[in-house]
Each structure stands twice: as structure tokens, then as C-alpha cells.
Amino acid sequence: MIVDPEVAGALRAGRGVVALESTLIAHGLPAPDNLRVAREAEAAVRAAGAVPATIAVVGGEVRVGLDDAALEAIAVGVGVVKAGVRDLAPAVARGTTAATTVASTAHLAARAGIAVFATGGLGGVHRGARETWDESADLTTLAQTGIVVVCAGVKSILDVAATLERLETLNVTVAGWRTGAFPGFYLSDSGHPVGWRVESAEEVAAMVRARGALGLGDRAIVIANPLPEDEQLDPALHDRVLRESLEAATAAGIAGRDVTPFLLDRFHRETGGASLQANVRLVLRNAELAGRIAVAVAAGAGPVPA
């Protein structure tokens, strides 16, 4: 693992550091938007007073914090693979360049000593998982990784209710950022409540300290940060595209693991780019909030509840 000198210095000095995933850059956004958004996400972390650490595997080396050349290689390089936790060992052994998922980024960030991670949305339980057992490795990884994850919930194309049930079963704390509703990625409210609500970065820092004091430091805290209502995807457009896309998937005989990429592609096309714009907005908002939380966590702000 190669830790960027700036990131290493910040960790030694006890400053706030925010991990950022690279799958969003390589596979989640189209070029040239992906490189621009990657740089803007890092800038948002810096504006909040923390140091960004985008994580990837570059030429078989795990890199925690990317220089501009490495960031560009992930964004525009040919053959950049998508690496979950199970893929890290073969990617490193074979000298591969790979973008890290939520799960593998969280794992590597925690190993590097980074306490906070910002992403767009978590993976979750897929529709039809009762038959396919298709569930993101993000969930089990968060159950054994001591990190704070700032996200916009999970994509509404997944089974949101089942995802929340799994997070509860796995004892992963989920709190809404100034909301009692779990966000639905493109939408401010997925229609499902969260058990806890937090109002400040200092309150999240207090939760982190309490987690450690209670011997729970080996599992994640998820901070669900919704888009403001005036920035979300139009709910009527969202519901129509989702309904029609699910019908189209059924008619085409698409099932199992092929459903999610099919639905995402349809969303990008059928919303005229509006879903992509919402995606970019939430990524930048999450990066800025994670920066504030990282600063508060590093400062040890907030009392541990009695």
C-alpha cells in the first residue's frame, strides 16, 4: 500500500482525511465528466478543511491518494477493471490497474487509518434477490469495517426496504443527516425511515467515540445525506422511468445481475441526463459533508454519551 505523502502527513498530524472511491470515476460517470467530478470532489473535501484520498490500484500497487496523473489514468485509461474486496489480491498480484468499489475502498481506507469515506450511494439488496441471492458485498464489508460512510442512501432501482433490513441484521448504524427519512439516491426520500437523525458533524464525531468505547469499532456508521428537494430528480419522472424500465427488463427476459446495469442505462437515457446531473450533485455534497465530519472526528469533538 502506497500512501500519498500529503495523506500520510495529515494522518500523522491527526488531521481529517476523507477516502474517495474510484469506481465512480472509471465506471460510474462518462468521460470527460468523470475526471472533472473526481477533481471537484477532492476540492470539496479540501474546502471543508480535510485532505482527500482517492483510492485505486494502479499497476498492481494499492494507492491511497492519487496524484493527477494517476487520477487521469483511472478516468480515461483503457481496461481499468472494477475491483471489489475479493478482487484486490489478484489485481495486485497481476499488476492490474483497477478502480475500487465502495467495499474495497472502505476496506483499504480503514487499513490506512482513514476514519471517513464519501461515496455516491451504497450497493444493496437487488430486486429479485430472493431467487438470485444478488446482494452487494458493500453490506457485509460495512459490518466489519470501522469507518464512517457518507452516502445518499442506495439507488431506488434496488430493493431499499430489504437493504435496510440487511443493514439492521448486520448491526450497521444508519443515521439521516438532518432527516428522519432514508434518501433514495436520485430522490430525497425513499419512503423508508431511518432509526437515527444527526444534526452536526460534532454529533457524528461523538457517535464515533461512543462506538469505540463500546467495543463496536469494527463496524461502519452510515450517514445518509439526502439531496435537497429542489435538487432531486423529478419524482414523477423518476417513478415513470423506473416503472417502464422494470417492464422493459421483464419483456426482454433480463434477470439477476443483468437487471441493475440495464436499469441504470435506461435511467441515463430516459431522463435526458437529469439522473446524471443529480448523481454529480450528490457526490459533491457528500464529499463536502464528509470533509466536515472528518475534521470533527479528528478533533475528537463532542462528548461521549453516558
Side-chain angles (χ1 to χ4, degrees):
M1 182 183 292
I2 299 174
V3 181
D4 177 82
E6 182 189 14
V7 174
L11 291 171
R12 285 194 301 270
R15 294 179 57 201
V17 177
V18 175
L20 299 167
E21 63 155 301
S22 49
T23 289
L24 176 73
I25 305 168
H27 304 290
L29 297 171
D33 294 327
N34 56 349
L35 183 57
R36 173 182 60 80
V37 173
R39 289 168 173 159
E40 289 179 353
E42 291 196 344
V45 171
R46 292 188 188 280
V51 173
T54 303
I55 296 177
V57 180
V58 182
E61 295 178 333
V62 172
R63 300 274 294 273
V64 179
L66 303 182
D67 56 26
D68 204 58
L71 200 62
E72 189 167 345
I74 291 294
V76 303
V78 177
V80 177
V81 303
K82 181 178 179 180
V85 174
R86 68 174 186 172
D87 306 304
L88 288 174
V92 169
R94 295 184 179 184
T96 301
T97 293
T100 51
T101 65
V102 168
S104 55
T105 303
H107 170 77
L108 294 170
R111 280 184 60 83
I114 297 173
V116 182
F117 167 33
T119 186
L122 299 181
V125 179
H126 291 228
R127 294 173 184 264
R130 182 173 297 182
E131 289 75 35
T132 64
W133 294 86
D134 192 0
E135 175 183 308
S136 172
D138 294 354
L139 303 184
T140 52
T141 299
L142 294 179
Q144 54 193 17
T145 306
I147 200 162
V148 176
V149 182
V150 180
C151 65
V154 298
K155 291 184 177 68
S156 52
I157 61 173
L158 301 177
D159 189 330
V160 179
T163 299
L164 288 170
E165 288 289 348
R166 285 292 287 143
L167 287 168
E168 179 182 357
T169 299
L170 294 168
N171 291 315
V172 175
T173 299
V174 180
W177 177 256
R178 298 176 179 172
T179 181
F182 189 67
F185 197 75
Y186 301 125
L187 301 179
S188 302
D189 184 350
S190 69
H192 300 278
V194 289
W196 298 97
R197 173 181 177 134
V198 290
E199 302 292 336
S200 69
E202 290 73 25
E203 189 175 354
V204 178
M207 289 172 60
V208 171
R209 293 178 62 204
R211 178 185 65 180
L214 292 166
L216 301 172
D218 60 347
R219 64 203 63 200
I221 295 172
V222 173
I223 303 299
N225 181 31
L227 278 171
E229 287 189 9
D230 61 352
E231 293 185 22
Q232 68 177 341
L233 186 64
D234 177 67
L237 173 63
H238 170 276
D239 293 349
R240 177 180 63 78
V241 172
L242 179 58
R243 182 182 66 254
E244 292 175 353
S245 297
L246 289 170
E247 291 171 352
T250 300
I254 296 171
R257 297 180 183 275
D258 296 327
V259 172
T260 295
F262 175 84
L263 294 178
L264 286 175
D265 180 64
R266 290 262 313 189
F267 255 89
H268 288 317
R269 289 187 286 108
E270 298 298 323
T271 63
S275 64
L276 176 62
Q277 294 169 12
N279 195 346
V280 171
R281 288 195 295 271
L282 65 87
V283 165
L284 298 181
R285 287 175 54 82
N286 291 346
E288 190 275 336
L289 175 57
R292 286 192 278 150
I293 291 172
V295 169
V297 170
V304 175

